Structures are given as C-alpha cells and as structure tokens.
Amino acid sequence: MITKEQALENVKKYLEERKRNYIRIAKVDEIKLKENTKVPYPFSKYYEKEKNMYNVYYDVERGYDEIPYFVYIDAETGEVLFTMTEHGYAEDWED
C-alpha cells in the first residue's frame, strides 16, 4: 500500500499533466482512506470492483466560490482512478 504522502504527490503530478488549475490542495492529514469501496466511475477499467482508495480533494475557483473536486487514488498501486466534480467525472470531458 502506498502512503498518503505518495498519494498526494501522485495527485499533484496528475493535476499538472492534465493542466488543471487549483487554489488549494489537501494536506496529508486531510487525505481519507476508503476501504473496500466499489469504484463508481462507469468508464473505469475497475468499474464496480472493490478497491482501497485514497480521497484527495483540491479546490478550484468559480467566481466568488471555491468548489472542491475529489481525486480517488488506488491505495495499492497509486494509480489515479477518477476525479469527482460537482458536475460528474472530470475525465469524461477531458478525454
């Protein structure tokens, strides 16, 4: 299993690769582990398979508001699984 620190680094690299801007990202102690949770993202190769996942949030600016987005990381491999936003999955409109 990867550490929370590794999960955070993986998310930062992922956001940079995807050219996603953010104003704040979770601190290590704010990262949550969800154990044995089914992957809800329908286009994931792991759809509905149970995974241990880290949940790392980051905030984006929308007008006067800050909107949280949530990146889920496979806690075993460090692979980014999906990003949940207020309008669905970010990977749907990026790919």
Side-chain angles (χ1 to χ4, degrees):
M1 183 176 289
I2 67 168
T3 65
K4 289 182 177 184
E5 290 84 359
Q6 290 169 314
L8 182 57
E9 286 306 309
N10 289 0
V11 169
K12 287 179 179 178
K13 287 178 190 172
Y14 184 75
L15 296 177
E16 187 177 311
E17 289 169 5
R18 297 281 180 143
K19 295 180 176 49
R20 292 188 195 165
N21 295 320
Y22 59 91
I23 56 174
R24 181 177 12 280
I25 194 163
K27 296 177 183 159
V28 172
D29 62 335
E30 298 172 318
I31 296 172
K32 306 291 184 217
L33 175 63
K34 295 183 170 227
E35 296 181 288
N36 302 318
T37 304
K38 286 187 179 181
V39 175
Y41 181 48
F43 299 106
S44 171
K45 60 185 172 185
Y46 304 111
Y47 179 54
E48 293 196 334
K49 292 185 179 172
E50 287 191 2
K51 291 269 187 195
N52 294 326
M53 298 181 279
Y54 284 119
N55 176 337
V56 181
Y57 79 87
Y58 66 98
D59 293 329
V60 296
E61 189 172 19
R62 291 280 192 271
Y64 294 109
D65 293 327
E66 295 175 10
I67 309 295
Y69 285 17
F70 301 91
V71 181
Y72 287 81
I73 304 288
D74 187 320
E76 303 302 324
T77 66
E79 177 183 6
V80 174
L81 299 172
F82 60 92
T83 307
M84 177 59 92
T85 74
E86 80 271 30
H87 296 294
Y89 302 100
E91 290 77 13
D92 285 349
W93 63 77
E94 287 182 331
D95 294 334

